Amino acid sequence: MKTIYLASAAALAFSASGALADGHVSHVFPVGEGAFNWDSYNAYADAFDLSGQELTITGPWTGADAELVNSVIDYFESATGATVQYSGSDNFEQDIVIATQAGSAPNIAVFPQPGLMTDLASRGALTPLAPETADWVRDNYAAGDSWVSLGTAAGPEGEEALYGFFYKVDLKSLVWYSPEAFEEAGYDVPETMEELLALNDQIVADGETPWCIGLGSGGATGWPATDWVEDLMLRTQSPEVYDAWVSNEMPFDAPEVVNAIETFGTFARNEDYVNGGVEAVASTDFRESPLGLFSFPPECYMHRQASFIPTFFPEDAEADFFYFPAYEGEDLGSPVLGAGTLFGITDDSEAAQAFMAFLQTEISHEVWMAQSGFLTPHQGVNAELFGSDTLRQMNEILLDATTFRFDASDLMPSEIGQGIFWSGMVDYVGGEDAASVAGRIQDRWSEIQ
Amino acid sequence: MSPILQGIITIIVGVGGCVGYFYAANLFLDKVLFPARGPNAGRNINRANMVRPWVFLFPAVFALGLYLMYPVVGSFVRSLYDRSGNDFVGAGNYVRLFNNPDFRQAFFNNILWALVVPAVTTFMGLLIAQLTDRLSWGNIAKSIIFMPMAISFVGASLIWKFVYAQDPDLGIINAIRASFGGAPLDPLQIPFWNNFLLMVILIWIQTGFAMVILSAALRGVPEETIEAAIIDGANPFQVFFKIKVPQIIGTIVVVWTTITILVLKVFDIVYTMTGGNYGTEILPSFMMDFMFRDDGQATAVAFVIMLVVLPVMIWNIVQARKEMR
């Protein structure tokens, strides 16, 4: 935080002295200072001149995230001379559909998940990315092939092309805990799933509660449970089975899936394992759920949630995380579940193409990395620049993954992945039988095919 | 441009535009089209007066047609096509709906809402209007009861979320249970009865509205009829139920139907409190599940809602017009 403050103070001093080429852009980190890859910035600035052009971008980022993305866009503006209008919306998924249908689409849209992007691509609302982009992703991103295939979709004529460029990744296979509480109780961080299960029982034996789980999220109640099920799928089945589940080649009510749901149930439906009892799981808001880690005495010791969650921790919380471990007995390596946002072109222009090229520069990743809440599979960036050790360690987990798989519910048709899968998990935690929940989800899926 | 300035300019342009339209249209009619001069002055004045109402009505009719009638027809047409909007499926969407157990649940819940909320709200409103009439501090009581009207549905839901909270330190229900030594439970997860807990929120918001309207109606009951009844030896209950209520029955119906129409549009309470989980789904929140995903299904649900509202609406308008006379 302090560095940001100093940096922005420096930037202010800079702009006040009129040293910046164009006075209307102020940078978070002054160009040419620090360990940033300024060569990539300068090379890009020399290659592109878009003076007087305008570019509109809409995305799901609002509030603090919108400021962060704008801090990256500032560099694009100063490098090219273009003016960028970014607008964030909490209802982005609906807004973008309406905008494309009404013919008022922005130049670039930032999709929170590939499902929506695929949908719009098939309707012809997207322009394929420049042909060389796919090779660039393969060469420069860790597990590049999987990022290419996730961003690839079929166009209106059924021809496959790369439509989405991944920028900003979230890591989901994380368990958050309070090191202080662990030390106090004498618990060790579990390295395998077997150790984790042993720890569960030890915590219960000590008269404490191991987990805080909260599924509440207004209209999206239930989504945190889908992450649990996906993580457990990857830890009990091969990646191929996971892929078959995502594409519905393997039905949703197959025994493999029901088993993963029931494994989640061994955590969430166990009265002794969850803070507040099973009933509280569905009603606790996911943003409030982790607070139990930091209460005194701790209401729970562990909280499985994606990399964004520290945003909702108390100001002074001492938190750390460990990788949600795999079963030693299963021999499935160390699978990682993640998600990410994709940039797609909804209204093609020279500036839009140039912006996509800008996202391939190291600097565009480093500027956000050095602040907060940003992970990237880009291998060319300077990891020293991460705003915190936490981020750096997460990024290592991301780069070390033997298997990386994208959030399944984000890949499924939105009626399933952002609808009945969520509410089905709420019903399951509420006591319904796993097989019957899975059966209902499959019925709906069969209906829409 | 600052939003305040934008707002002010919008108001000026909007209001000025309206005034300008009527003034200019009137001028055009009287001076250019049918001038009240020359050989046909009389005929022209008559003609101008025939045309004038239509000229004045035109903006309203045009706007209603564009923003109300066209979407209704458009929605109905859309509901006859499949999810992508390319293939005609006829009544397929409707058949699918009625075969969907979730839809039947939502439909049943909605009927429950439409029966319970208007009845309780109108009854409470009437009761409070009558009881506060004779109190010295009745107006203060009325103001307090009317206050929730000013809160948005989402805001009210958030307040009630605390009332129903599972934490005994926050939730009133669980605090009472805890004082009797009961374990905390989540009231919103009790099947079937949770619907009523959600209805309480809407009743809480709307009672003030019913009370204000009915209170005005009660004041309009002629004193002579009440005096006559008292002289004839009627007790207060008979005065109220046999003298007052029959005289304001028209207003009661209008209030009742107005609230019914409102109930059939409510979705934010369900969305905020339970997200439609635990069997609390109602039609509008069910429609939201399909919006932008399967517009065929979504428009079919919208149309079902409209068919349910329509008779209530017609009854409401007929009664309101009777009241006017």
Side-chain angles (χ1 to χ4, degrees), chain A residues 77-229:
Chain A
E77 289 181 311
S78 66
T80 59
T83 329
V84 179
Q85 199 58 46
Y86 170 80
S87 54
S89 156
D90 285 333
N91 293 326
F92 171 80
E93 280 101 331
Q94 287 149 27
D95 293 350
I96 191 70
V97 173
I98 296 169
T100 51
Q101 286 183 345
S104 59
N107 296 116
I108 290 179
V110 187
F111 297 103
Q113 73 310 75
L116 179 61
M117 181 207 75
T118 310
D119 203 27
L120 287 179
S122 70
R123 294 189 203 176
L126 292 181
T127 308
L129 302 179
E132 63 275 13
T133 314
D135 289 329
W136 184 92
V137 173
R138 275 189 204 100
D139 296 343
N140 292 280
Y141 271 16
D145 277 330
S146 57
W147 296 113
V148 172
S149 63
L150 285 167
T152 301
E157 310 298 326
E159 71 290 358
E160 300 256 314
L162 183 68
Y163 282 97
F165 181 91
F166 274 96
Y167 172 86
K168 188 174 186 296
V169 180
D170 275 320
L171 191 56
K172 299 207 170 206
S173 306
L174 300 174
V175 179
W176 296 87
Y177 70 104
S178 156
E180 221 174 313
F182 260 54
E183 202 170 320
E184 195 83 12
Y187 301 140
D188 290 328
V189 169
E191 310 245 326
T192 63
M193 186 59 86
E194 287 83 352
E195 283 177 22
L196 179 72
L197 298 177
L199 179 62
N200 278 347
D201 295 324
Q202 192 192 336
I203 295 176
V204 172
D206 294 346
E208 301 280 350
T209 311
W211 293 94
C212 272
I213 304 177
L215 308 186
S217 181
T221 295
W223 71 259
T226 65
D227 287 1
W228 269 92
V229 173

Side-chain angles (χ1 to χ4, degrees), chain A residues 314-348:
Chain A
E315 281 280 316
D316 51 352
E318 287 281 330
D320 201 353
F321 64 89
F322 56 86
Y323 165 73
F324 186 54
Y327 289 93
E328 208 172 8
E330 292 283 354
D331 192 34
L332 287 165
S334 47
V336 169
L337 181 73
T341 44
L342 307 89
F343 281 62
I345 300 177
T346 38
D347 181 11
D348 200 12

Side-chain angles (χ1 to χ4, degrees), chain A residues 94 97-98 123 218-219 221 276 279-280 282-283 414-415 418-419 423 426 440 444 447-448, chain B residues 83 96 100 102 166 184-186 189 271-272 274-275 277-278 288-290 292-295:
Chain A
Q94 287 149 27
V97 173
I98 296 169
R123 294 189 203 176
T221 295
E279 213 172 39
S283 59
S414 64
E415 258 163 274
Q418 288 96 58
S423 53
V426 175
R440 277 195 296 126
R444 172 72 69 85
E447 236 178 42
I448 63 177
Chain B
R83 54 184 293 127
R96 249 184 74 189
N100 183 340
D102 293 342
Q166 204 176 344
L185 59 81
D186 185 0
Q189 288 188 46
Y271 190 79
T272 322
T274 63
N277 287 304
Y278 326 122
M288 282 293 290
D289 289 347
F290 287 102
F292 311 111
R293 295 169 180 173
D294 184 343
D295 285 338

Side-chain angles (χ1 to χ4, degrees), chain B residues 99-240:
Chain B
N99 286 331
N100 183 340
D102 293 342
F103 172 80
R104 290 200 294 267
Q105 166 97 61
F107 196 84
F108 170 78
N109 287 345
N110 229 144
I111 298 293
L112 210 59
W113 275 76
L115 292 175
V116 174
V117 175
V120 176
T121 310
T122 314
F123 178 75
M124 299 262 292
L126 188 59
L127 198 69
I128 295 164
Q130 171 68 16
L131 294 180
T132 51
D133 241 2
R134 299 290 164 83
L135 291 174
S136 56
W137 49 276
N139 280 341
I140 298 170
K142 275 188 188 163
S143 311
I144 291 171
I145 290 164
F146 188 72
M147 269 181 195
M149 267 298 276
I151 304 174
S152 74
F153 288 172
V154 173
S157 301
L158 289 174
I159 294 169
W160 282 83
K161 240 192 163 122
F162 287 115
V163 174
Y164 296 147
Q166 204 176 344
D167 184 344
D169 298 336
L170 292 175
I172 294 172
I173 292 179
N174 279 309
I176 295 168
R177 280 178 61 91
S179 67
F180 289 110
L185 59 81
D186 185 0
L188 294 174
Q189 288 188 46
I190 308 167
F192 183 68
W193 299 106
N194 51 11
N195 284 302
F196 294 95
L197 294 179
L198 299 186
M199 289 177 205
V200 165
I201 303 172
L202 190 57
I203 292 168
W204 178 72
I205 296 176
Q206 288 298 320
T207 298
F209 160 78
M211 175 197 73
V212 168
I213 309 275
L214 294 169
S215 176
L218 282 174
R219 298 234 170 116
V221 174
E223 278 297 322
E224 298 84 354
T225 56
I226 298 164
E227 275 171 25
I230 292 169
I231 288 167
D232 285 346
N235 65 29
F237 282 96
Q238 287 172 315
V239 170
F240 181 70

Side-chain angles (χ1 to χ4, degrees), chain A residues 208-396:
Chain A
E208 301 280 350
T209 311
W211 293 94
C212 272
I213 304 177
L215 308 186
S217 181
T221 295
W223 71 259
T226 65
D227 287 1
W228 269 92
V229 173
E230 288 150 11
D231 248 336
L232 290 164
M233 270 300 275
L234 287 173
R235 278 155 187 69
T236 52
Q237 305 296 334
S238 69
E240 291 71 35
V241 173
Y242 183 90
D243 294 341
W245 173 51
V246 167
S247 64
N248 208 25
E249 278 164 50
M250 181 182 78
F252 204 108
D253 48 0
E256 291 90 338
V257 187
V258 173
N259 171 51
I261 296 175
E262 282 170 345
T263 312
F264 164 60
T266 59
F267 290 86
R269 274 171 60 163
N270 183 331
E271 203 67 39
D272 300 333
Y273 274 16
V274 281
N275 180 29
V278 174
E279 213 172 39
V281 170
S283 59
T284 308
D285 192 278
F286 78 95
R287 286 158 282 222
E288 288 174 15
S289 181
L291 300 181
L293 295 172
F294 310 110
S295 63
F296 196 82
E299 287 170 9
C300 60
Y301 283 85
M302 293 178 277
H303 180 71
R304 201 219 67 90
Q305 186 56 282
S307 49
F308 70 84
I309 197 69
T311 314
F312 301 104
F313 289 170
E315 281 280 316
D316 51 352
E318 287 281 330
D320 201 353
F321 64 89
F322 56 86
Y323 165 73
F324 186 54
Y327 289 93
E328 208 172 8
E330 292 283 354
D331 192 34
L332 287 165
S334 47
V336 169
L337 181 73
T341 44
L342 307 89
F343 281 62
I345 300 177
T346 38
D347 181 11
D348 200 12
S349 71
E350 191 193 346
Q353 293 290 351
F355 191 83
M356 287 298 178
F358 176 70
L359 294 179
Q360 295 168 21
T361 61
E362 285 80 1
I363 191 69
S364 66
H365 296 250
E366 288 173 348
V367 167
W368 199 332
M369 267 168 58
Q371 298 178 77
S372 72
F374 186 88
L375 300 177
T376 176
H378 196 318
Q379 288 160 313
V381 297
N382 179 0
E384 296 297 306
L385 290 166
F386 272 109
S388 67
D389 289 344
T390 317
L391 279 176
R392 195 172 305 113
Q393 288 160 5
M394 281 187 212
N395 218 60
E396 273 166 27

